[in-house]
Amino acid sequence: MTRTAIALACLLLAAAPAAAQMAAPGQQPYGAMTERPIKALSADDIAGLRAGRGMAMALPAELNRYPGPIHALEHEAALGLSAAQKEALTGQMAGMRAAAIVLGERIIVREGELDVLFASGAADAASIDRLTAEIAMLQGQLRAVHLRTHLATRATLDAAQRATYQTVRGYTANGAASGAVVPAPAHKH
């Protein structure tokens, strides 16, 4: 087999999984979503918003050595948390959940309004702009709630506990920073 033929065979094999994921003729990729009460939100999305779950909103914090209260409490023995730390973390978690649930419900309502707007045939540019801006603002506030809680948790734990957290969460072997910090892009003047 020539190198060209081998390369072509490799490309075809690599493309096979992507082709398999495409909808078969007659099937539509969004077909199953037409029965959702709110088209833009899955049942899992709604449940997560209603429960105040993080839904990966705090990954920039979590994966850059800013622990979260829920996981810190899950590993309280390994971290050697004091009673005062457990109380602080429990308070952080409760405050985060309470704020997140309120914002999550507001997001669900606005997404429902957006869905009704289109379902009724009354969608117009001004309504779309207003609702999407409100949804974006609420999503930003919700994410900030989760991220700010990681700030509070980091301040609650000492350096040794933060290093242990990195290890027990599987981010590093010894709690040291993993990966390189990516610098912010330089602005050209």
Side-chain angles (χ1 to χ4, degrees), residues 58-70:
L59 284 178
E62 178 72 18
L63 299 178
N64 282 296
R65 297 167 306 284
Y66 286 77
I70 294 169

Side-chain angles (χ1 to χ4, degrees), residues 75-102:
H75 298 288
E76 70 177 89
L79 297 176
L81 297 177
S82 69
Q85 285 176 312
K86 285 192 278 190
E87 183 178 338
L89 293 170
T90 300
Q92 291 165 14
M93 186 175 64
M96 175 187 66
R97 269 214 177 107
I101 288 170
V102 168

Side-chain angles (χ1 to χ4, degrees), residues 17-164:
Q21 290 179 359
M22 293 175 53
Q27 291 182 340
Q28 298 300 319
Y30 299 137
M33 295 179 189
T34 60
E35 300 303 316
R36 289 180 176 180
I38 300 173
K39 306 303 183 257
L41 299 174
S42 71
D44 286 344
D45 294 336
I46 292 170
L49 289 167
R50 287 200 164 129
R53 288 197 295 263
M55 300 166 51
M57 287 183 214
L59 284 178
E62 178 72 18
L63 299 178
N64 282 296
R65 297 167 306 284
Y66 286 77
I70 294 169
H71 301 305
L73 288 167
E74 288 172 351
H75 298 288
E76 70 177 89
L79 297 176
L81 297 177
S82 69
Q85 285 176 312
K86 285 192 278 190
E87 183 178 338
L89 293 170
T90 300
Q92 291 165 14
M93 186 175 64
M96 175 187 66
R97 269 214 177 107
I101 288 170
V102 168
L103 289 165
E105 287 295 339
R106 290 176 64 194
I107 290 168
I108 292 167
V109 168
R110 291 301 180 274
E111 286 287 359
E113 290 173 5
L114 187 61
D115 198 64
V116 167
L117 185 68
F118 278 94
S120 70
D124 60 47
S127 298
I128 292 168
D129 290 350
R130 180 184 56 79
L131 282 169
T132 57
E134 288 176 23
I135 292 166
M137 180 190 68
L138 291 167
Q139 289 171 332
Q141 291 173 352
L142 178 59
R143 191 168 189 200
V145 163
H146 288 284
L147 290 165
R148 283 193 312 266
T149 303
H150 282 251
L151 282 177
T153 299
R154 181 181 169 99
T156 302
L157 303 177
D158 64 33
Q161 289 170 320
R162 291 191 305 266
T164 300

Side-chain angles (χ1 to χ4, degrees), residues 184-189:
H187 295 284
K188 293 183 181 181
H189 298 283

